[in-house]
């Protein structure tokens, strides 16, 4: 039987450590602060941001929620960011994506001070990560490393194959794994014979955004699968395609009208040595690492 890598438990342990760090910083008169910028009324973004703000409160961090209207311009957003860059009580700035069409996302992300860039999206932080210097790393890939380490899965010398090369997940995951001495292969939509690549993986990271895309025939038996994908299934046909005969999924679908599947087909997990489930795998780590990054930014900025 494959080992299920319990992201919820690992995230809880990280959050507990963050809360301890926050208490220790209080002795120095420091309270790490996160500013969350939520533009307009995008329901999914609202849910994510509220959960981030709530987690700050749970762990003792200060947070400030800033909510510009959906009609905001790039210039107005640049003013918001400049004000947050200048505030001493703010250690981390989070701009919830996606932004409305009229706002130039990259211009804005580049305006965040690298030392407050707790999402790790600024080119300076991407460069530092690549150059092997201390950096604020993007939260989701940083969470992938935490799952592997805390589950005692060896990384050094292992062949890690990553499917997906986004700036947010795939590329930084590759850099972090390389920094941990894995041999890294990065695959993408132009990769020829993807299965031949993925079957070589000791650690297979799927960050594609296509439900159940990695099938059992693409996986080497005994491999560790990290499924970053989060895809919502809303039709009976989709649910049956992945979860036919699974009573728990059936119940979730009937209750909520949807259920989640990763980028890896559930049948592929059966031949893995270990895997992260969806939900409850990589997902919970993202917020935990955001909190950890905010505390780290608070310490780094004060030279602690
Ligand atoms: P992007 O859409 O930015 O990137 C997807 C990547 O997959 C691209 O590099 C693309 O290649 C590659 N790809 C697409 N189709 C194929 C194919 N047929 N064969 C091989 N590669 C392919 O997605 P993200 O990186 O932002 O997100 C990936 C997944 O992770 C999504 O499901 C997302 O929901 C999830 N996610 C989960 C998070 C979490 O907290 N757990 C956080 C962030 C994302 P190319 O570059 O050539 O187009």
């Amino acid at each position: 039987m494959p080992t299920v890598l319990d992201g919820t438990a690992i995230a809880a342990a990280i959050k507990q450590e963050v809360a301890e760090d926050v208490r220790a910083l209080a002795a120095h008169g420091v309270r790490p602060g996160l500013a969350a910028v939520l533009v307009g009324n995008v329901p999914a973004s609202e849910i994510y941001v509220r959960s981030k703000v709530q987690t700050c409160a749970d762990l003792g961090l200060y947070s400030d929620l800033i909510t510009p209207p959906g009609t905001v311009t790039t210039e107005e957003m640049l003013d918001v960011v400049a004000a947050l860059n200048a505030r001493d009580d703010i250690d981390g700035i989070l701009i919830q994506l996606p932004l409305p069409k009229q706002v130039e996302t990259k211009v804005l992300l580049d305006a965040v001070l690298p030392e407050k860039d707790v999402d790790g999206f600024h080119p300076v932080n991407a460069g530092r990560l690549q150059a092997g210097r201390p950096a604020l790393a993007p939260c989701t890939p940083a969470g992938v490393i935490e799952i592997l380490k805390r589950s005692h899965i060896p990384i050094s010398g292992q062949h890690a194959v990553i499917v997906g090369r986004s700036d947010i997940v795939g590329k930084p995951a590759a850099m972090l794994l390389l920094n941990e001495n894995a041999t890294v292969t990065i695959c993408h939509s132009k990769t020829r014979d993807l299965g031949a690549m993925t079957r070589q993986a000791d650690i297979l990271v799927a960050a594609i955004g296509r439900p159940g895309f990695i099938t059992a025939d693409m996986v080497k038996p005994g491999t560790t699968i990290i499924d970053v994908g989060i895809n919502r299934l809303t039709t009976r046909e989709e649910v049956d395609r992945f979860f036919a005969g699974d009573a728990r999924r059936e119940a979730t679908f009937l209750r909520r009208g949807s259920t989640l599947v990763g980028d890896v087909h559930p049948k592929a997990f059966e031949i893995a040595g270990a895997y992260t489930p969806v939900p409850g795998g990589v997902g919970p780590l993202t917020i935990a690492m955001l909190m950890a990054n905010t505390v780290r930014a608070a310490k780094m900025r004060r030279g602690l």
Side-chain angles (χ1 to χ4, degrees), residues 63-205:
S63 71
D64 194 354
L65 176 61
I66 292 140
T67 55
T71 53
V72 73
T73 64
T74 302
E75 287 65 34
E76 287 163 343
M77 282 295 283
L78 284 171
D79 289 343
V80 170
V81 170
L84 294 173
N85 281 342
R87 272 173 64 178
D88 196 46
D89 59 339
I90 294 300
D91 297 290
I93 302 172
L94 168 138
I95 300 170
Q96 186 65 40
L97 304 180
L99 292 169
K101 287 194 297 298
Q102 77 277 8
V103 179
E104 291 168 85
T105 301
K106 285 195 173 157
V107 170
L108 210 62
L109 295 181
D110 290 1
V112 173
L113 270 184
E115 50 274 39
K116 295 191 178 189
D117 169 40
V118 283
D119 265 332
F121 293 163
H122 195 286
V124 165
N125 280 318
R128 293 181 72 86
L129 186 62
Q130 205 236 284
R133 308 281 207 287
L136 291 166
C139 300
T140 303
V144 168
I145 300 293
E146 289 296 324
I147 291 178
L148 292 169
K149 284 190 172 172
R150 289 171 189 249
S151 307
H152 309 291
I153 290 172
I155 305 176
S156 179
Q158 302 296 297
H159 188 182
V161 177
I162 297 143
V163 188
R165 57 170 164 180
S166 71
D167 293 335
I168 293 172
V169 188
K171 268 189 226 164
M175 274 308 142
L176 288 164
L177 286 161
L178 184 63
N179 290 348
E180 295 293 334
N181 299 315
T183 301
V184 177
T185 300
I186 308 174
C187 303
H188 47 79
S189 66
K190 304 291 187 291
T191 297
R192 268 185 284 136
D193 198 355
L194 184 63
M197 299 291 168
T198 55
R199 277 190 295 275
Q200 292 178 36
D202 302 310
I203 298 169
L204 177 59
V205 180

